[in-house]
Amino acid sequence: MLNLKIFDKRLFYKTLYSQVASSIINHSHLVLAFSGGLDSTVLLSILTELYYQNKKSKNIKSLFKLRVVHIHHGLNDCADKWARHCLKQCLARKIMCNVIHINCSKKNKFDGGMEATARHLRNKVLFDNLNVQEILLTAHHLDDQVETFLLALKRGSGPTGLSSMSAYGYNQKLLRPLLSFSRLHLEMYARDKQLNWIEDNSNKDIRFDRNFLRICVLPIFSKRWPHFASAVARSARICAEQEDLLDELLLNKLISLITINGSLLFNLLIKMNVHMRHALLRRWLIISYGIKKLPSYVQLDRIWHEVALSRRDARPIVRFNNFLIRRFRDQLYVLPLQMINSINSIRLSWLSVDVPIVLPLNLGLLIALPFSNVVLVKKKCPFCKQGMVFLSIFYHSSINIKISASCVVRAPYKDETISIQFGGAFPGLLHVIGRDRSRTLKKLWQEFDVPPWLRSRIPLLFYDKKLIAAIGIFITVEGDIQSSSVECRKIRIFWSNR
């Protein structure tokens, strides 16, 4: 950190530009998250100068593409005005700017209030907006790092939380090139360059913890200890280094506990001490599900005692943030909050298998094609994040869609009506291909290791009142092409869980 008492403007500019330039040197497609505030305006100014400087010098190694994204939350009366300001700033620099609107209504509310909801939705939209080659840049600075550290300390966080922010984040898709510079440094640059930026009036509201720290606490600390911010940043860096070391030491042990679907084999944790168990549980949540805000010590204890150590036939649930922890057999699963309830009985008429049918509740769609030796390219299964435990992921070569599951059944006869059903009870017994006798639907779910929370979310294919298949799980003898008494064609039904 530069000492402002012996401030050398030339040295400051050289350090600032060098830091940003070195941060982006290996990235050729940049996306700047631009709020229009001081911090992101400074970063936009620096990136623009570097962009045109490299373009003019024709330095191929340093050339990069730059575009800007502004998120319109719609929470402030000035939101439209801010969006126009951002567009104007980018237009003046001849840089492309996209304004993306997000809905922060109560319907989308997350734990932590509207501020947490806006932050979650903003981050999701920003990363969803990136293409494969792009990396997101944010203008977080040293003061933000100190605030993050103190907020984590206030929550009683361990080394993971106290690590605060790193220069790289979100699986190397996020870059924070200004993290070593204070807001005071950035403000000096902005005034020297005569930049125009937005002053968000909500930043003065000390009801928000971060604003309270910035306005009421940190000035006192900095006056008493001028190097307080640098010391906090150093502590955060040390915590991060310790966590990285622990990650490396525990990696092999963790790999042996995680299944291909992302669930955790918790029986092996029983003989471990509580500290090792908690460390492995946290890393499981990060690695398998990408969870950023980890459960507290108390929540981890509840996950272990109330879920993992529950009776084998029990169905306990622990909720944290917007996730659910559940147990099935000897494994722990993380589920999205919307899976807390089963789906009540739903019946959809499929008028013609020649036309795809869209499934309810964002469960994707079903596509029926004539059976052939199509090429299915297998990919790594991402459905562990949604609690899917039985599906492999394929990509159909000719229709170019992601396939969650498929089954080959006989095509319906002309006089048979087709329907897809979810949930509800199925009376009577079912004779499934590969089984020597009939069973109830509940018994089949158990035999095929389908967790209770998924059973009502699997499409059931019916011809008239006959159950033909549970897509991706089993096919009944009524749907078996071999058992048909008359010659009929085969179809492959694909479930694309988008």
Side-chain angles (χ1 to χ4, degrees), residues 211-454:
N211 291 346
F212 174 75
L213 285 174
R214 184 187 309 121
I215 296 168
C216 302
V217 177
L218 288 176
I220 298 174
F221 282 14
S222 297
K223 185 176 180 180
R224 174 82 182 203
W225 303 293
H227 298 290
F228 180 76
S230 298
V232 168
R234 185 165 59 252
S235 294
R237 188 167 61 251
I238 292 170
C239 287
E241 290 171 356
Q242 291 178 339
E243 282 298 286
D244 289 343
L245 177 60
L246 198 54
D247 288 344
E248 188 175 337
L249 293 174
L250 293 178
L251 182 60
N252 288 335
K253 188 180 292 291
L254 188 61
I255 289 174
S256 69
L257 298 174
I258 299 177
T259 71
I260 191 173
N261 301 296
S263 59
L264 186 76
L265 300 166
F266 65 82
N267 275 344
L268 299 175
L269 298 179
I270 292 175
K271 294 183 179 180
M272 298 180 185
N273 65 54
V274 65
H275 308 301
M276 175 69 80
R277 190 161 59 233
H278 281 189
L280 289 168
L281 284 171
R282 288 192 190 98
R283 281 157 180 80
W284 164 59
L285 294 173
I286 294 170
I287 290 176
S288 293
Y289 299 92
I291 294 174
K292 305 299 179 185
K293 188 177 179 182
L294 295 174
S296 65
Y297 187 95
V298 173
Q299 288 172 320
L300 285 172
D301 219 39
R302 287 190 60 207
I303 289 170
W304 182 248
H305 287 97
E306 295 179 22
V307 181
L309 299 185
S310 64
R311 298 192 323 273
R312 188 178 175 86
D313 60 344
R315 295 187 179 183
I317 300 175
V318 166
R319 172 181 172 178
F320 77 95
N321 301 338
N322 294 288
F323 298 94
L324 307 170
I325 303 289
R326 296 194 65 170
R327 168 186 172 167
F328 180 61
R329 305 280 165 84
D330 296 325
Q331 298 174 36
L332 292 178
Y333 297 85
V334 176
L335 309 175
L337 186 59
Q338 58 266 31
M339 292 186 73
I340 193 167
N341 296 317
S342 297
I343 299 175
N344 292 325
S345 183
I346 296 176
R347 183 182 184 277
L348 305 173
S349 294
W350 195 352
L351 300 180
S352 171
V353 292
D354 296 327
V355 179
I357 182 171
V358 177
L359 304 177
L361 304 174
N362 295 317
L363 289 173
L365 74 159
L366 296 180
I367 300 170
L369 295 175
F371 178 74
S372 61
N373 294 321
V374 297
V375 178
L376 295 178
V377 182
K378 190 170 184 179
K379 301 288 185 180
K380 183 180 178 182
C381 178
F383 277 95
C384 56
K385 297 179 182 177
Q386 301 179 28
M388 296 291 191
V389 299
F390 54 88
L391 303 178
S392 294
I393 301 306
F394 298 86
Y395 286 83
H396 190 292
S397 59
S398 61
I399 55 179
N400 194 30
I401 60 168
K402 184 169 66 177
I403 305 300
S404 309
S406 69
C407 63
V408 178
V409 296
R410 67 171 178 84
Y413 304 130
K414 290 183 178 180
D415 59 344
E416 287 181 319
T417 59
I418 316 161
S419 64
I420 300 296
Q421 297 185 29
F422 293 92
F426 184 84
L429 300 177
L430 295 167
H431 192 177
V432 170
I433 297 174
R435 294 293 195 270
D436 58 351
R437 56 187 174 82
S438 299
R439 293 158 171 81
T440 64
L441 180 58
K442 181 179 179 180
K443 185 65 175 176
L444 287 170
W445 289 139
Q446 294 171 347
E447 289 184 5
F448 283 97
D449 290 331
V450 180
W453 57 85
L454 287 179

Side-chain angles (χ1 to χ4, degrees), residues 469-482:
I471 308 300
I473 307 298
F474 62 76
I475 301 171
T476 66
V477 293
E478 285 81 1
D480 185 9
I481 184 67
Q482 303 298 333

Side-chain angles (χ1 to χ4, degrees), residues 83-126:
R84 290 193 297 270
H85 168 86
C86 292
L87 288 169
K88 183 178 179 181
Q89 292 295 313
C90 293
L91 182 62
R93 294 172 171 85
K94 298 181 180 179
I95 301 294
M96 185 177 74
C97 178
N98 301 112
V99 175
I100 301 177
H101 293 251
I102 61 175
N103 179 12
C104 296
S105 64
K106 290 184 179 179
K107 183 177 68 173
N108 294 322
K109 194 172 182 180
F110 284 76
D111 290 349
M114 192 54 67
E115 187 180 17
T117 299
R119 182 170 58 252
H120 173 87
L121 294 176
R122 178 175 65 247
N123 289 339
K124 184 179 186 306
V125 167
L126 284 170

